[in-house]
Amino acid sequence: MSRHLFVAGTDTGIGKTHAAQALVHAFRRAGERVAGMKPVASGSARGPEGMRNQDALDLQAASAPHPAYERVNPVALEEAVAPHLAALRAGRAIDWPTIDDAFQSLARDYDRVVVEGVGGWMVPLATGMSTEDMPSRWDLPVVLVVGVRLGCISHARLTARAIQADGCRLAGWIANVIEPTMPLLEENIQTLRDYLPAPCLGVLPYRVAPADAAVLLDLGPLG
């Protein structure tokens, strides 16, 4: 089983990067060399060093030792829209060799690579190429991040079912509280525990720094 991981989400904006950073910090606390990676990112800003995406910068900062940005995020797209549309409008092709090379480079140099997807599970990247192909291609177990808010139970169950239907292994899931005033918060998290076909790796409270959230994660099921 691969030691590297793929972090998927039930949707966009539910805290994948936050949870991925927490995982990176948790593995670092266990003594591992760990790199975060976001192979494809839209919503990037152009600067003196080129295109930079904030989620990718956050993952780079959490990694130890720090990898070069181009290895963390080989495809940075400016517009904050679906990546296949951002690439089309930028006149850029998203292709496997570019992101394969970056992943393999990190996998050679680090004990663990935590790869964050883009958006939800089935986001198109290019013709015949989609986000869910990454964990299949690289043989990565999947950690599902559930943004705990109204509607999350159905979204989480549907995503878990899709992960398994695509032949990937759901290694565990993380509850990320994004609506702290949600009615019956604890009851909803318990329902997720009851219905999702993988162990809960932890519950991340609202707006807790990733390095602090790391201590709340159970890495045991991840090997």
Side-chain angles (χ1 to χ4, degrees):
M1 181 182 70
S2 174
R3 290 173 55 80
H4 312 303
L5 301 171
F6 185 84
V7 177
T10 49
D11 200 351
T12 191
I14 50 79
K16 289 191 309 298
T17 303
H18 177 64
Q21 285 180 273
L23 283 166
V24 169
H25 282 290
F27 285 118
R28 284 179 55 188
R29 289 172 61 89
E32 297 187 18
R33 292 164 54 92
V34 192
M37 182 186 186
K38 191 172 180 75
V40 178
S42 53
S44 306
R46 193 179 301 276
E49 297 181 327
M51 207 71 74
R52 294 292 184 266
N53 174 267
Q54 189 57 56
D55 288 350
L57 288 169
D58 290 342
L59 288 170
Q60 181 190 32
S63 305
H66 283 1
Y69 181 86
E70 291 72 19
R71 299 169 80 193
V72 174
N73 178 216
V75 180
L77 302 163
E78 187 167 11
E79 286 192 90
V81 297
H84 70 296
L85 298 178
L88 181 66
R89 287 166 59 84
R92 178 171 183 183
I94 301 176
D95 57 62
W96 282 120
T98 300
I99 61 176
D100 280 344
D101 288 350
F103 172 74
Q104 296 300 339
S105 171
L106 291 174
R108 283 193 300 269
D109 292 344
Y110 290 83
D111 301 317
R112 187 95 54 170
V113 182
V114 177
V115 180
E116 181 193 341
V118 54
W121 177 247
M122 300 180 70
V123 175
L125 301 176
T127 302
M129 183 180 182
S130 191
T131 303
E132 74 272 17
D133 298 329
M134 290 185 210
S136 297
R137 187 177 181 88
W138 299 334
D139 192 26
L140 304 180
V142 178
V143 173
L144 176 62
V145 181
V146 181
V148 182
R149 62 185 178 196
L150 187 64
C152 68
I153 294 172
S154 180
H155 290 163
R157 295 182 68 195
L158 286 168
T159 306
R161 182 175 294 181
I163 290 168
Q164 294 181 319
D166 286 333
C168 295
R169 187 175 77 85
L170 180 60
W173 59 279
I174 295 171
N176 184 44
V177 178
I178 57 177
E179 288 188 3
T181 59
M182 176 185 182
L184 304 178
L185 176 65
E186 295 301 327
E187 290 85 347
N188 275 272
I189 293 173
Q190 184 58 52
T191 301
L192 290 165
R193 292 181 189 271
D194 293 340
Y195 279 87
L196 290 179
C200 179
L201 305 177
V203 178
L204 305 186
Y206 185 63
R207 290 188 176 174
V208 172
D212 296 328
V215 301
L216 303 174
L217 296 176
D218 176 13
L219 302 181
L222 302 180

